[in-house]
Amino acid sequence: MGDISRRAADITESATLAITRRAAELRGEGAHVIGFGAGEPDFPTPDAIVSAAINAAGDVKNHKYTPAAGLPELRAAIAGKTLRDSGYEVDPAHVIVTNGGKHAVFSSCQVLLDPGDDVLLPAPYWVTYPEAVKLAGASPVVVPTTQEEGFQVSVAALDAARTERTKMLIFVSPSNPTGAVYPPDQVAAIGAWAAEHGIWVLTDEIYEHLVYGSAVFSSLAVQAPEAKVVVVNGVAKTYAMTGWRVGWLIGPPEVSAAAGRLQSHMTSNVSNLAQRAALAAVSGPLDAVMEMREAFDRRRRTMVTMLNDIEGVVCSEPEGAFYAFPSVAGLLGREWAGRHVASSLDLAAVLLDEIQVAVVPGDPFGAPGFVRFSFALSDDDLAEGLGRFQAFVAAG
Ligand code: GLU
């Protein structure tokens, strides 16, 4: 392996995708696997969006290169949608269409970070953030949060971790993997703190429409207009379009321009068919996501109840996104199915092998002792999978 660059050798496969791949392999072998792994709506993409892509496939202009930064009409529609949904007014010229939200995170890190820069990363964090930071040569600085504080980082904790090397904070609300939703005044306080210290904020808003109960989404870019902000978002979660790969970043002019230049060498334009579908999505209504949200909310409540019924599992109520992130510390340090289970990594492996339930262990999210369950799967699968988990633990 000496030939592999240190950069590539240092990164691990995405744990969320790895567990999904493993579950798919087992299904291929005939196992009835219940997948709580990758966060991906079980709904199909709405028909009108699919039709837009089908029509686009028949139009020769979509068979050709288009501007690397995105179709002008899509960039304009994203600017319109951003104003509609979060109240943030942006110039379409500052919207860069990317190959999914993940690519927008990667590009933002590439254009803003240098070796020697530190990036504050409240934990638990999404598995891809630290890798995107490292791939830009910078260092993630983990700022832990606890289940007791609702997995929300405080300004005091951020400030305690700040040094002169701190270049950026990665902020996500609603949060993957915890489901935490920061109240608007806390978003404003974090943004004001970042602005005061000249720290960039990458705010990942991909779960903006998935909030439950009294929680409300608020954009840091709006709450703290004085902050230096890059907004990351995409169509995947809102329109059940995970496989289409369309996201975007919105930054100040020099950041967007740099991301556009980078993209002109890295990928050229995102697939025109996917962009045409995304155009139909962001210019259309939000009915489908409202329906999905209702289903997710129902599943969320069932999941929290069923998890908390298991001795050794403690699940707080997620207020957003579609993940429950319970502590499984009470199950660790003992034998399960004849195997010693020391960590949530071990537990995830045992659950997959013994009861064909796929979950993502907390370790790659920076949260050992926790496990992530997506509740974006069908009601029946959810009940079946959690039923298996309950029975497994009860059988001791
Ligand atoms: N963002 C989703 C998740 O965390 C999709 C998989 C991925 O890209 O990590 O499960």
Side-chain angles (χ1 to χ4, degrees):
M1 292 303 280
D3 291 335
I4 299 301
S5 71
R6 213 170 301 147
R7 204 169 48 249
D10 273 0
I11 56 169
T12 46
E13 181 183 3
S14 160
T16 51
L17 297 189
I19 194 83
T20 309
R21 182 175 48 74
R22 183 76 192 115
E25 276 165 16
L26 290 172
R27 274 192 203 107
E29 290 162 18
H32 179 201
V33 179
I34 305 291
F36 295 101
E40 131 162 290
D42 61 316
F43 297 91
T45 304
D47 288 344
I49 299 173
V50 176
S51 298
I54 292 170
N55 293 339
D59 185 343
V60 165
K61 75 174 186 291
N62 295 314
H63 303 175
K64 308 293 180 191
Y65 291 127
T66 52
L71 295 171
E73 48 275 61
L74 176 57
R75 296 168 80 190
I78 290 168
K81 164 255 164 290
T82 304
L83 184 61
R84 176 194 68 188
D85 296 345
S86 65
Y88 186 39
E89 194 166 354
V90 297
D91 184 331
H94 306 154
V95 176
I96 305 293
V97 179
T98 59
N99 191 56
K102 191 175 276 184
H103 181 205
V105 171
F106 179 86
S107 289
S108 305
C109 290
Q110 289 292 319
V111 302
L112 280 168
L113 302 176
D114 277 314
D117 290 339
D118 284 348
V119 176
L120 299 183
L121 199 54
Y125 46 76
W126 181 43
V127 295
T128 289
Y129 298 144
E131 308 303 321
V133 168
K134 286 192 272 173
L135 284 167
S139 306
V141 172
V142 174
V143 186
T145 67
T146 62
Q147 190 173 34
E148 293 67 38
E149 61 192 345
F151 297 117
Q152 294 190 22
V153 76
S154 64
V155 168
L158 290 171
D159 204 50
R162 179 177 61 85
T163 70
E164 71 216 15
R165 289 190 306 280
T166 308
K167 177 81 184 272
M168 183 193 274
L169 160 70
I170 298 186
F171 182 75
V172 53
S173 172
S175 158
N176 175 5
T178 65
V181 181
Y182 287 69
D185 57 344
Q186 181 63 6
V187 176
I190 290 173
W193 165 86
E196 184 189 338
H197 299 290
I199 295 170
W200 283 88
V201 183
L202 187 164
T203 170
D204 184 343
E205 306 191 341
I206 195 115
Y207 296 100
E208 63 185 335
H209 291 292
L210 298 177
V211 290
Y212 312 105
S214 58
V216 285
F217 162 75
S218 57
S219 171
L220 190 139
V222 174
Q223 294 298 323
E226 70 282 25
K228 299 193 287 187
V229 173
V230 180
V231 174
V232 168
N233 205 332
V235 292
K237 315 295 180 179
T238 302
Y239 305 99
M241 290 178 74
T242 48
W244 296 77
R245 310 314 301 143
V246 183
W248 56 85
L249 65 85
I250 305 170
E254 68 279 15
V255 170
S256 298
R261 289 196 301 276
L262 184 68
Q263 195 151 298
S264 77
H265 291 293
M266 270 181 61
T267 58
S268 299
N269 60 278
V270 171
S271 157
N272 291 323
L273 307 193
Q275 288 198 70
R276 294 278 165 202
L279 176 58
V282 297
S283 8
L286 290 168
D287 309 356
V289 68
M290 295 308 144
E291 263 171 52
M292 288 196 290
R293 182 169 73 180
E294 220 177 286
F296 295 150
D297 189 17
R298 180 178 68 242
R299 297 167 189 175
R300 172 184 77 108
R301 284 181 271 118
T302 306
M303 178 173 272
V304 170
T305 307
M306 288 186 79
L307 285 171
N308 279 324
D309 280 347
I310 302 175
E311 211 179 318
V313 176
V314 180
C315 187
S316 356
E317 196 173 305
E319 295 192 301
F322 38 53
Y323 307 106
F325 201 65
S327 164
V328 291
L331 302 179
L332 305 181
R334 49 182 283 205
E335 301 267 312
W336 291 101
R339 287 156 70 173
H340 184 68
V341 172
S343 65
S344 62
L345 289 164
D346 294 345
L347 182 69
V350 166
L351 294 181
L352 189 57
D353 293 346
E354 300 296 328
I355 56 170
Q356 289 75 53
V357 164
V359 299
V360 193
D363 303 64
F365 298 104
F370 289 81
V371 163
R372 192 188 78 172
F373 287 76
S374 161
F375 49 83
L377 73 179
S378 74
D379 296 78
D380 288 349
D381 279 359
L382 184 142
E384 165 71 22
L386 292 175
R388 286 187 202 172
F389 186 27
Q390 287 182 333
F392 178 74
V393 174

